[in-house]
Amino acid sequence: MKVVKFGGSSLASGDQVKKVFDIVTSDPDRKVVVVSAPGKRYPEDRKVTDLLIELGERTLRGEEAPEYLSAVIARYSQVAEELKLPAEIVSKIELDLIQLLNADKTGQARYIDAIKASGEDNNAKLIAEYFKSRGIEATYINPKEAGLLVEENGGTALVLKKSYENLKSLRKRSGILIFPGFFGYNEASEVVTFSRSGSDITGSILANGIEADLYENFTDVDAVYSVNPNVVSNPKEIRELTYREMRELSYAGFSVFHDEALIPAFEAGIPVHIKNTNNPEAAGTRIVNERKNTNGPVIGIASDDDFCSIYVNKYLMNKEIGFGRKLLSILEDFGLTYEHSPSGIDDLSIILRQKQMNAETEELILERIRTDLKPDEVTVEHNLSLIMMVGEGMRHNIGTAARASKALAEAGVNIEMINQGSSEVSMMFGVKESQEKKAVQALYEEFFVGVYA
Ligand SMILES: Nc1ncnc2c1ncn2[C@@H]1O[C@H](COP(=O)(O)OP(=O)(O)O)[C@@H](O)[C@H]1O
Ligand SMILES: N[C@@H](CC(=O)OP(=O)(O)O)C(=O)O
């Protein structure tokens, strides 16, 4: 039995949905189909989820936003027309959305989540109707009835373990089950969405719950590439990588698969297969527990921008009991999360996503650090990019850091910081945002060109 997830790009038009139909019905093991909301049809297009967020936020502020409501409805209308489905389906979607917009606005986060989630919910209903219109037994499944329970954690959904047990009964249902991605229900029966691109997470949870043999994740590229294809053209495809490698790479910028989607599949030992809806014959990429390490130390290079680093220097910091804890507790008091903390004898840097802090909070934090910790120096460096080189092979290879540093130096890239993950499957370089692309290209050149040829 397989769980198959289709991303927004795979469902952006009626023609795309027809491809999805062909893929699902070509393999009788494809039982549970997880769908996203309609995504972009062309690069400048807007995803239905983005339109819904804008619509919800404007309505919450008391503004009229009829153009957003009609833009969402127009997307479903186009798909329904191309699939020759009755117009009544679209009227129901419109009614549902108007009801959600008129709902109680006291809990603002839950109000927006319900509107956001309607993108996948209504799409699942529409797609189930299409499968039925083609003579296939297909049922829309509501996550609440199926028992996909979550709690809110830092603003987004976190699956509750009991969901897995609840979802198991889906195995016994007949026909194809069309399940909306991206959200679950909390104990108060309210919708809570996962973070953006979270339908990947729903697919993984379902794979775990129904004890699937395989979780297939269909997207718009032939494979996971060793580097973001928007940074290097025609990069090498990765055939196989481990859960741990993929989690590090997703987290660090490979947006093709959500980093939180690895754990449910990993816990149940279910392989994940990334494939292309537009080219299902392509081999794709398999994510597995262990792989043969044949490709040298590095399997992928990911990068992401918009980080900053709080640098704290104090003579004999290493002798001061509780220094690190006190520093981190200041961040905690301001509700901030951090990503890395490289340290030396007398200094410590905390790297965080800079969108969490505005100029005012930044000044308050620095003031707290000065008062509570009495450092010799405290500064913030803005506009950093983090580049993550990942590979299980790095544990057994000597000299990877030296090769990387040399390649970056030769490309004229200044390394602001280096950090090796304790697991030794990743190595991070902090560089100025303006040098990110050049740095990734130089590392790709060093570790990939010629290696797989
Ligand atoms: N290393 C990578 N390999 C493949 N695709 C990548 C990589 N890094 C970033 N991407 C981007 O991820 C996109 C697919 O993810 P996404 O747009 O979320 O798909 P979906 O709509 O199917 O969920 C690709 O089109 C590509 O631009
Ligand atoms: N539609 C949601 C969830 C999702 O997973 O979408 P996609 O599969 O298009 O990345 C989003 O845009 O965040």
Side-chain angles (χ1 to χ4, degrees):
M1 210 174 259
K2 295 176 186 170
V3 170
V4 204
K5 180 256 171 179
F6 291 91
S9 53
S10 305
L11 300 159
S13 68
D15 285 342
Q16 288 299 95
V17 176
K18 286 179 194 163
K19 291 181 193 169
V20 167
F21 178 84
D22 291 342
I23 290 169
V24 173
T25 52
S26 67
D27 180 349
D29 281 345
R30 291 182 173 139
K31 170 85 185 163
V32 178
V33 180
V34 175
V35 297
S36 290
K40 291 186 180 187
R41 293 158 291 184
Y42 42 87
E44 316 73 53
D45 199 12
R46 284 180 298 178
K47 291 175 103 176
V48 162
T49 308
D50 290 319
L51 294 169
L52 287 168
I53 294 172
E54 195 63 41
L55 173 63
E57 284 176 349
R58 283 176 187 241
T59 314
L60 206 50
R61 292 198 295 266
E63 294 168 24
E64 294 288 321
E67 69 278 24
Y68 285 93
L69 178 60
S70 25
V72 172
I73 300 308
R75 292 296 306 271
Y76 290 108
S77 250
Q78 189 208 338
V79 175
E81 264 169 44
E82 285 172 16
L83 298 177
K84 303 201 173 19
L85 291 171
E88 195 199 349
I89 290 174
V90 183
S91 315
K92 275 194 194 157
I93 294 178
E94 187 164 7
L95 222 85
D96 171 71
L97 194 46
I98 292 171
Q99 251 173 29
L100 290 170
L101 289 167
N102 290 332
D104 178 50
K105 299 179 181 58
T106 332
Q108 298 197 352
R110 296 293 75 79
Y111 174 81
I112 294 286
D113 275 4
I115 291 167
K116 259 193 319 197
S118 76
E120 342 295 292
D121 202 43
N122 283 319
N123 211 23
K125 289 176 184 164
L126 186 149
I127 288 162
E129 286 309 315
Y130 176 62
F131 274 57
K132 283 192 250 175
S133 78
R134 298 278 306 264
I136 294 287
E137 185 187 356
T139 316
Y140 154 80
I141 303 287
N142 178 267
K144 181 158 71 181
E145 282 157 28
L148 203 175
L149 299 175
V150 299
E151 62 183 2
E152 196 239 283
N153 178 32
T156 57
L158 186 70
V159 66
L160 296 181
K161 291 272 184 223
K162 59 183 161 195
S163 300
Y164 297 126
E165 204 45 48
N166 298 342
L167 293 166
K168 197 172 286 172
S169 63
L170 291 177
R171 282 185 75 92
K172 295 192 216 104
R173 302 278 296 258
S174 66
I176 289 171
L177 310 179
I178 314 281
F179 201 105
F182 196 34
F183 69 97
Y185 286 83
N186 65 14
E187 301 280 10
S189 286
E190 296 164 320
V191 166
V192 188
T193 54
F194 294 109
S195 52
R196 291 303 303 270
S197 293
S199 301
D200 289 342
I201 309 174
T202 308
S204 188
I205 293 168
L206 278 158
N208 181 315
I210 71 154
E211 295 168 358
D213 303 305
L214 183 66
Y215 171 26
E216 292 178 308
N217 190 287
F218 279 85
T219 180
D220 64 350
V221 278
D222 277 353
V224 176
Y225 299 106
S226 47
V227 66
N228 186 336
N230 304 309
V231 177
V232 169
S233 53
N234 279 324
K236 311 272 188 212
E237 292 183 4
I238 303 175
R239 282 280 84 81
E240 202 170 62
L241 75 175
T242 66
Y243 295 107
R244 189 152 57 160
E245 287 171 332
M246 189 66 212
R247 183 162 149 73
E248 295 259 4
L249 288 165
S250 304
Y251 163 80
F254 277 17
S255 53
V256 60
F257 194 66
H258 199 298
D259 63 293
E260 289 172 45
L262 269 316
I263 304 298
F266 164 75
E267 282 176 348
I270 299 162
V272 182
H273 198 173
I274 312 277
K275 286 182 72 77
N276 192 350
T277 301
N278 306 315
N279 185 16
E281 302 310 319
T285 299
R286 287 178 71 87
I287 307 169
V288 291
N289 211 7
E290 270 179 55
R291 67 173 172 90
K292 280 184 229 85
N293 177 35
T294 49
N295 299 323
V298 182
I299 190 109
I301 303 166
S303 65
D304 204 0
D305 59 7
D306 210 24
F307 291 93
C308 67
S309 167
I310 304 179
Y311 173 80
V312 188
N313 179 288
K314 187 176 185 183
Y315 179 54
L316 295 181
M317 177 191 286
N318 63 326
K319 294 251 165 73
E320 195 172 320
I321 291 168
F323 189 92
R325 180 187 54 75
K326 284 182 211 150
L327 180 56
L328 293 178
S329 73
I330 295 175
L331 296 190
E332 194 179 339
D333 289 347
F334 283 86
L336 304 182
T337 57
Y338 74 101
E339 311 295 322
H340 303 273
S341 66
S343 64
I345 325 170
D346 294 327
D347 53 19
L348 187 62
S349 296
I350 306 282
I351 299 164
L352 49 159
R353 297 207 181 254
Q354 67 187 2
K355 65 169 181 267
Q356 297 184 93
M357 283 196 298
N358 57 27
E360 203 182 320
T361 11
E362 184 178 309
E363 201 31 61
L364 290 172
I365 290 170
L366 295 188
E367 207 37 59
R368 267 286 300 280
I369 295 175
R370 284 185 203 109
T371 325
D372 293 10
L373 299 173
K374 313 258 179 314
D376 298 328
E377 187 188 351
V378 54
T379 52
V380 180
E381 193 173 353
H382 295 104
N383 305 329
L384 292 174
S385 286
L386 298 188
I387 297 168
M388 195 74 86
M389 289 202 326
V390 176
E392 300 271 358
M394 274 168 28
R395 256 178 299 174
H396 315 290
N397 255 279
I398 298 166
T400 310
R403 275 176 72 185
S405 312
K406 186 163 172 275
L408 292 173
E410 280 170 4
V413 174
N414 187 30
I415 304 173
E416 306 287 326
M417 66 190 78
I418 302 184
N419 194 24
Q420 175 149 33
S422 322
S423 61
E424 286 188 52
V425 302
S426 67
M427 196 175 288
M428 182 210 85
F429 297 93
V431 302
K432 290 257 189 302
E433 276 177 2
S434 55
Q435 297 208 302
E436 173 183 337
K437 197 168 175 181
K438 192 155 61 153
V440 172
Q441 287 166 342
L443 292 173
Y444 179 75
E445 194 71 21
E446 171 65 28
F447 288 97
F448 289 93
V449 173
V451 175
Y452 291 77

